[in-house]
């Protein structure tokens, strides 16, 4: 409040064009009420008039105390910190009409002093450096040296605030860059998701095809056979599985080769079109890495192996006469029945085989036959198992990519304060001591209370939102303090529960400073904390001093 009185005195002092004669303790804004050389009308009660000789006679004649601007005679009256506007009509008013005793403080800043401090025999040089609040000779005039020291400190404060304003500009620029990076990353994730959705779709089709093939397989009970026939059957089945896997991996190889070629084309175009003098280090590193990649020798194509693989995939029976090894000299009754197909024309063989497969699939789908007959076929072929696993892995990868996109989209819509300025400070922490505790503030995160002498730390709230609060605090000579006016504040809620109390919460009130620092901590009520901090993130680009009005020196 005292600082506000000083600021008010300074602001009102220069409203007048010249210093008019006025009684002791009267500020420039109130000089007009004391111009009559013969009488004085009380400011809030103009119907009451007293002779000019009774002004500053140490006796309170006016109900509003305006006849004693230079004494403590009316100090018992309450008064407003703000300078009241003169009344428009006579009205009995016992509120003090003056904001305080006006100290001219030549060579320094003028100030108002509470009337209770006038004539008390105490030199209040920090507020009334000219000593005019006491009788002549009691207090020396120290305004010259105090004013010189204040101007030195004020110069440092202004330089610090200018540096803080520049830092805020940098923070805003970094925040915009970070937002752009997130937007670019989301677009990249969109492309990844599209590609992975196609991969998953292809894998689902492949898995469904393998399941359909297994379900449509006509099961033939193998008769007692020799070791050679059993080995031939197992080998044929295993080769079939390898053929299926080979088809799948060749397809995946071709897809990845095409993607690599596309990426090489993009990098080649980047190398041709980029500016060699660009200061973007990431582009230069990308071009250098591409040059190194191009100089590496690529593995030579093995045409023979490729032909062998194509032959294996294309061959109906892998080029092996399996019937020579699977045929038994004495077939069983069931085998004889199936052998009946051999006596039919080829078109009938294909038709009957197709009808048997369709019939089996129909019976399985309608629950007539079990999906996996016991003892009739393997529980599940290895190609189908591999297809299921590959599909599951791809689905998990796709889901993780979608989650990552959602997290980044949420980050873009989150509140990071004015101009997104706290985006670059997310998860950075500052700390400061107060009493028996150290308080740690992690921006956009948690506030923690830590005992200095050991013991359990307490969560006193996690960030929920930004708000604004009205403050009225003095600013120290070094400029550290939240000052007066509207201030940005971060609310933190849902902390640890107090013993026999509510969940802890805290409000971090911020004002401009060159560095992040904790200035003051107080517990306003049980488990409700208020932290006053300085940070360049809330500085005005004009270097406005924490709500403090600039005060000119009275000459």
């Amino acid at each position: 409040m005292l600082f506000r009185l000083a600021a008010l005195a300074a602001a009102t002092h220069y409203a007048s064009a010249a210093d008019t004669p006025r009684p002791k303790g009267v500020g420039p804004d109130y000089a007009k009420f004391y111009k009559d050389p013969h009488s004085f009308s009380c400011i809030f009660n103009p119907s009451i008039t007293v002779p000019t000789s009774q002004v500053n006679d140490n006796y309170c004649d006016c109900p509003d105390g305006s006849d004693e601007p230079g004494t403590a005679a009316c100090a018992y009256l309450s008064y407003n910190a703000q300078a009241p506007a003169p009344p428009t009509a006579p009205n009995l008013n016992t509120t003090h009409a003056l904001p305080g005793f006006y100290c001219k403080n030549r060579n320094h800043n003028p100030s108002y002093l509470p009337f209770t401090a006038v004539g008390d025999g105490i030199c209040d040089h920090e507020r009334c450096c000219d000593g005019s609040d006491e009788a002549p000779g009691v207090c020396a005039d120290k305004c010259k040296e105090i004013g010189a020291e204040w101007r030195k400190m004020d110069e440092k404060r202004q330089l610090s605030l200018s540096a803080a304003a520049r830092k805020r500009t940098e923070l805003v620029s970094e925040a915009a860059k970070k937002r752009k990076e997130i937007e670019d990353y989301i677009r990249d994730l969109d492309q990844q998701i599209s590609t992975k959705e196609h991969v998953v779709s292809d894998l689902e089709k492949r898995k469904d095809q393998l399941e359909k093939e297994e379900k449509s397989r006509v099961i033939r009970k193998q008769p007692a056979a020799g070791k050679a026939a059993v080995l031939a059957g197992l080998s044929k089945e295993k080769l079939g599985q390898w053929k299926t896997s080979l088809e799948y991996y060749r397809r995946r190889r071709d897809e990845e080769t095409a993607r690599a070629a596309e990426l090489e084309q993009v990098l080649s175009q980047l190398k041709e079109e980029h500016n060699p003098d660009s200061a973007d280090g990431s582009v230069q590193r990308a071009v250098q890495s591409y040059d190194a990649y191009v100089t590496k020798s690529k593995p030579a194509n093995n045409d023979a192996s490729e032909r062998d693989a194509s032959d294996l995939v294309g061959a109906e029976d892998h080029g092996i006469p399996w019937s020579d090894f699977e045929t038994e000299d004495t077939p069983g009754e069931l085998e004889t029945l199936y052998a009946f197909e051999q006596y039919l024309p080829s078109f009938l063989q294909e038709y009957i085989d197709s009808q048997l497969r369709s019939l089996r699939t129909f019976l399985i789908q309608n629950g007539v036959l079990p999906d996996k007959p016991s003892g009739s076929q393997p529980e599940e072929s290895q190609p189908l198992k591999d297809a299921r696993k590959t599909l599951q892995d791809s689905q998990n990868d796709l889901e993780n990519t979608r989650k990552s996109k959602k997290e980044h989209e949420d980050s873009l819509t989150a509140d990071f304060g004015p101009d997104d300025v706290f985006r670059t400070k997310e998860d950075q922490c500052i700390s400061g001591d107060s009493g028996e505790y150290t308080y740690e503030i992690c921006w956009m995160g948690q506030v923690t209370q830590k005992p200095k002498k050991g013991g359990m730390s307490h969560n006193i709230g996690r960030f929920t939102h930004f708000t604004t609060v009205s403050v009225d605090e003095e600013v120290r000579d070094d400029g550290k303090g939240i000052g007066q006016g509207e201030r940005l504040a971060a609310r933190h809620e849902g902390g640890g529960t107090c013993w026999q109390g509510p969940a802890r919460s805290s409000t971090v009130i911020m004002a401009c400073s060159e560095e992040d620092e904790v200035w003051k901590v107080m517990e306003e009520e049980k488990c409700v904390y208020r932290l006053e901090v300085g940070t360049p993130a809330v500085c005005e680009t004009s270097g406005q001093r924490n709500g403090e009005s600039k005060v000119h020196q009275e000459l």
Side-chain angles (χ1 to χ4, degrees):
M1 184 179 69
L2 296 177
F3 175 80
R4 188 170 56 192
L5 295 177
L8 174 63
T12 59
H13 175 74
Y14 292 99
S16 60
D19 194 9
T20 58
R22 56 187 185 270
K24 179 181 179 180
V26 176
D29 251 14
Y30 296 90
K32 59 186 177 182
F33 297 107
Y34 299 87
K35 288 184 177 181
D36 192 326
H38 304 294
S39 63
F40 171 76
S41 298
C42 301
I43 295 178
F44 277 3
N45 302 277
S47 61
I48 301 175
T49 303
V50 298
T52 304
S53 59
Q54 292 181 220
V55 174
N56 280 341
D57 64 351
N58 207 29
Y59 183 82
C60 199
D61 298 298
C62 291
D64 55 25
S66 56
D67 64 312
E68 296 297 321
T71 73
C74 302
Y76 62 89
L77 295 174
S78 63
Y79 62 91
N80 296 326
Q82 298 283 351
T88 57
N91 183 32
L92 185 63
N93 193 330
T94 58
T95 301
H96 215 304
L98 301 173
F101 176 87
Y102 182 77
C103 302
K104 293 183 179 180
N105 294 341
R106 298 179 187 275
N107 297 311
H108 191 34
N109 299 320
S111 174
Y112 277 108
L113 186 69
F115 286 111
T116 53
V118 176
D120 60 357
I122 300 174
C123 298
D124 301 293
H125 284 124
E126 68 278 7
R127 290 169 291 181
C128 205
C129 60
D130 59 8
S132 59
D133 58 314
E134 301 298 329
V138 175
C139 299
D141 185 348
K142 296 185 177 182
C143 286
K144 186 174 183 179
E145 51 265 39
I146 291 176
E149 183 63 27
W150 183 90
R151 284 186 286 275
K152 288 181 181 179
M153 294 186 64
D154 186 61
E155 183 179 0
K156 291 181 180 179
R157 285 195 297 267
Q158 296 306 320
L159 290 174
S160 178
L161 290 174
S162 297
R166 289 193 297 271
K167 284 188 176 182
R168 186 186 191 279
T169 301
E170 293 172 359
L171 289 173
V172 172
S173 177
E174 290 174 9
K177 183 178 180 181
K178 191 170 183 180
R179 169 176 279 274
K180 179 65 166 53
E181 291 174 353
I182 295 174
E183 291 171 344
D184 292 343
Y185 186 56
I186 289 176
R187 283 193 288 270
D188 181 61
L189 289 177
D190 281 332
Q191 295 178 356
Q192 293 184 35
I193 289 172
S194 178
T195 300
K196 292 176 181 180
E197 285 176 342
H198 282 91
V199 171
V200 168
S201 177
D202 291 343
L203 291 175
E204 286 176 339
K205 292 178 182 178
R206 175 59 181 165
K207 187 264 300 180
D208 292 342
Q209 179 63 28
L210 290 174
E211 287 179 340
K212 183 177 180 181
E213 290 177 0
E214 288 209 357
K215 288 181 179 180
S216 65
R217 187 183 303 157
V218 178
I219 304 303
R220 305 186 182 188
K221 183 178 179 181
Q222 294 293 332
K227 295 181 179 180
V230 172
L231 179 60
L234 293 174
S235 299
K236 181 178 180 181
E237 181 179 359
K238 180 59 68 175
L239 281 175
Q241 295 173 1
W242 288 347
K243 176 182 176 181
T244 300
S245 298
L246 180 59
E247 290 175 339
Y248 169 73
Y249 288 115
R250 290 184 76 194
R251 185 170 62 256
R252 288 296 301 273
R253 180 204 62 185
D254 294 342
E255 292 173 354
E256 296 302 327
T257 300
R259 290 190 64 187
E262 184 180 355
L263 178 59
E264 289 179 1
Q265 178 63 30
V266 171
L267 291 174
S268 176
Q269 185 175 359
L270 173 65
K271 177 183 177 181
E272 294 175 0
E273 297 178 358
H274 91 286
N275 181 5
D277 298 326
S278 172
D280 193 336
S282 59
V283 174
Q284 298 293 347
R285 288 192 296 271
V287 172
Q288 293 173 0
S289 299
Y290 174 69
D291 290 338
Y293 166 78
V294 171
T295 57
K296 293 182 180 178
S297 59
K298 296 184 179 179
N301 294 328
N302 192 331
D303 295 336
S305 298
E306 185 67 22
R307 285 195 302 272
D308 291 342
S310 298
D311 292 342
L312 178 59
V313 171
E316 181 67 26
D317 285 327
H318 322 302
I320 300 175
W322 296 107
S323 58
D324 294 347
F325 300 96
E326 294 174 333
T327 303
E328 295 294 331
D329 294 337
T330 308
E333 295 179 358
L334 186 61
E335 283 64 39
T336 301
L337 178 61
Y338 276 110
F340 172 74
E341 296 178 9
Q342 299 177 6
Y343 299 98
L344 296 175
S346 58
F347 71 93
L348 284 179
Q349 291 181 12
E350 295 176 359
Y351 173 76
I352 291 174
D353 186 68
S354 172
Q355 292 300 310
L356 286 174
R357 290 178 181 274
S358 299
L359 175 61
R360 172 174 166 74
T361 300
F362 173 79
L363 294 176
I364 290 175
Q365 291 176 345
N366 289 272
V368 178
L369 290 179
D371 191 6
K372 299 176 181 179
S374 176
S376 299
Q377 69 177 31
E379 180 179 347
E380 192 173 80
S381 67
Q382 190 60 41
L384 180 55
K385 289 181 180 180
D386 293 341
R388 289 187 191 278
K389 184 178 184 306
T390 303
L391 174 59
Q392 185 62 54
D393 292 343
S394 297
Q395 288 174 333
N396 292 340
D397 185 32
L398 174 59
E399 184 61 26
N400 290 335
T401 306
R402 286 171 173 165
K403 288 180 179 178
S404 178
K405 177 188 174 184
K406 180 65 167 56
E407 291 172 356
H408 285 80
E409 287 176 336
D410 290 344
S411 174
L412 286 182
T413 58
D415 183 9
F416 283 92
D419 300 323
D420 229 21
V421 68
F422 284 95
R423 184 175 294 278
T424 56
K425 287 183 171 293
E426 186 176 13
D427 297 329
Q428 295 180 15
C429 303
I430 62 174
S431 61
D433 295 339
S434 180
E436 299 178 355
Y437 299 96
T438 296
Y439 292 85
E440 180 183 69
I441 303 170
C442 292
W443 300 113
M444 310 300 295
Q446 180 173 302
V447 180
T448 307
Q449 181 191 61
K450 302 178 180 180
K452 293 181 182 178
K453 298 180 180 180
M456 185 173 64
S457 297
H458 297 289
N459 169 10
I460 60 175
R462 290 195 62 83
F463 173 79
T464 57
H465 63 279
F466 286 106
T467 185
T468 55
V469 297
S470 296
V471 297
D472 185 8
E473 299 287 340
E474 288 191 40
V475 177
R476 297 183 334 217
D477 290 340
D478 58 7
K480 296 182 178 180
I482 59 176
Q484 299 84 32
E486 295 290 320
R487 294 288 177 266
L488 183 69
R491 283 288 299 152
H492 298 74
E493 300 172 352
T497 303
C498 280
W499 184 73
Q500 295 185 343
R504 293 177 174 87
S505 63
S506 56
T507 300
V508 178
I509 304 175
M510 294 164 278
C512 177
S513 70
E514 189 174 358
E515 303 293 340
D516 289 340
E517 51 190 349
V518 180
W519 288 333
K520 186 178 180 181
V521 181
M522 65 188 76
E523 190 173 1
E524 294 184 310
E525 55 185 275
K526 187 174 183 179
C527 303
V528 178
Y529 300 85
R530 165 179 165 142
L531 298 91
E532 299 176 2
V533 305
T535 174
V538 297
C539 293
E540 298 290 338
T541 54
S542 60
Q544 178 183 3
R545 193 188 321 177
N546 302 331
E548 176 184 354
S549 300
K550 288 193 175 182
V551 181
H552 296 288
Q553 177 190 7
E554 182 183 58
L555 300 178

